[in-house]
Amino acid sequence: MKLVKTEEAVGMVLCHDMTEIIPGVKKGAAFKKGHIVTEEDIPHLLDIGKRHLYVWDLDDGYVHEDDAALRMAKAVCGANISGGAPSEGKINLKADCDGILKINREAVYALCQDPEICLATIRPDRFIRKGKQIAGTRVIPLAVKEEVVRRFEAICAEHAPVIEVVPLKPTKIGIVTTGSEIQSGRVKDSFGGVLRAKAKETGAEVIGQVLAGDDVEDIAQAIRDFIAQGATLVEVTGGMSVDPDDRTPAAIRMVAEPVSYGAPVLPGAMFMLAYVGDVPVVGLPGCVMFARRTIFDLIVPRLMTGERITREDITAQAVGGLCEGCEVCTYPSCGFGG
């Protein structure tokens, strides 16, 4: 800050509100902090008794908070994210399409090491809708040195993209339902309807469902058949426990390269992921059928972007992998999967 005569403050930034009092009429801020003084403002400032002002001088190498926010938003935004106009020095970043939010955590941590920088985001690796606010950014003071903004821009360039939304690819799903009790008609299948509803959430297409029973070869062949028909994701339901009659993991291993059998997520511990080439095959435990949100919601939408999920990705779900079973489910606006 520096103290200047009001007449010399044109182009400079006010450091605090300027109060105007008209007895019996009003009392309030005639000029807000952060306001850039113009030639037209001088008479009004003098009228309210302001002969001197505390200001930031942008000619001294400072950047106004609004201009800093605009530059920071431009630097940090990757694909399918945009920011609006600054409001009180802050810009909100929103998704331009449905997709999976990806955030370079290390880059965000590096950016926020500077005490004059604020960049806050929501939880990444989740399916979000177009228009969802995913981050906000601003500088802490009313104006910052040019070097602060340039350092922010340099880190973003080095780690680009820092934040992006990856759209889902058109996905064709084949559903293989195991269990002799379902194949024989003794028990009505409930899994198919659940998976069709989840497919609708993400715009995926279910190309068919096969009731494959408990025979390992029949289950394996059903997986092969769906891939031959063009399925880009195969979902195998049931038979995922350690019960001797549960054959699904063995059948998946016959045709696909396993990534993980078991996950540190509740509900969803008996989840399995494997690949046939680039086609993911998931073994879905029974919880997916009756629980509102499970490991399905944390992993399967990511598979629909073409992301190659690793065992490390699944392990990373452990912290935040316990669903709290809230009476009113607010997922994904909650800590599940954090």
Side-chain angles (χ1 to χ4, degrees), residues 45 55 83 109 126 153 188 191 198 212 247 275 308 328:
L45 286 163
V55 295
Y109 298 153
R126 56 189 270 195
E153 292 169 327
K188 181 181 178 181
F191 238 127
K198 288 186 177 293
R247 311 288 181 80
Y275 281 91
R308 188 92 179 190
V328 177

Side-chain angles (χ1 to χ4, degrees), residues 1-16 18 35-38 42 45-46 49-60:
M1 290 190 304
K2 67 179 181 180
L3 182 67
V4 299
K5 290 183 177 180
T6 298
E7 294 89 343
E8 299 172 358
V10 174
M12 299 180 187
V13 181
L14 295 179
C15 294
H16 55 87
M18 297 294 170
H35 176 75
I36 299 176
V37 179
T38 67
I42 302 301
L45 286 163
L46 293 173
K50 302 302 179 183
R51 304 295 176 184
H52 296 84
L53 304 172
Y54 281 115
V55 295
W56 292 103
D57 187 349
L58 299 185
D59 290 335
D60 287 343

Side-chain angles (χ1 to χ4, degrees), residues 234-255:
V234 180
E235 298 174 345
V236 189
T237 71
M240 290 300 301
S241 78
V242 294
D243 188 287
D245 288 328
D246 287 348
R247 311 288 181 80
T248 300
I252 292 175
R253 287 190 178 97
M254 288 182 65
V255 296

Side-chain angles (χ1 to χ4, degrees), residues 79-81 94-102 126-132 134 164-170 199-204 301 304-305:
N80 303 310
I81 297 177
K94 297 184 178 182
D96 290 336
C97 69
D98 294 353
I100 300 296
L101 175 63
K102 305 300 290 185
R126 56 189 270 195
F127 178 65
I128 58 173
R129 296 290 186 185
K130 179 180 179 180
K132 173 72 175 177
I134 49 85
E164 66 177 334
V165 175
V166 182
L168 305 187
K169 295 181 177 180
K200 187 176 181 180
E201 286 183 359
T202 55
M304 294 180 182
T305 67

Side-chain angles (χ1 to χ4, degrees), residues 19-96:
T19 301
E20 180 177 24
I21 301 175
I22 302 177
V25 179
K26 75 168 187 176
K27 177 184 178 180
F31 299 93
K32 291 282 191 178
K33 65 179 181 178
H35 176 75
I36 299 176
V37 179
T38 67
E39 192 70 48
E40 292 74 19
D41 296 331
I42 302 301
H44 193 174
L45 286 163
L46 293 173
D47 288 344
I48 61 176
K50 302 302 179 183
R51 304 295 176 184
H52 296 84
L53 304 172
Y54 281 115
V55 295
W56 292 103
D57 187 349
L58 299 185
D59 290 335
D60 287 343
Y62 280 86
V63 181
H64 183 262
E65 60 177 353
D66 286 350
D67 295 325
L70 285 166
R71 287 171 59 180
M72 290 160 60
K74 181 178 179 181
V76 81
C77 285
N80 303 310
I81 297 177
S82 59
S87 175
E88 298 181 333
K90 181 183 74 172
I91 288 184
N92 294 326
L93 309 181
K94 297 184 178 182
D96 290 336

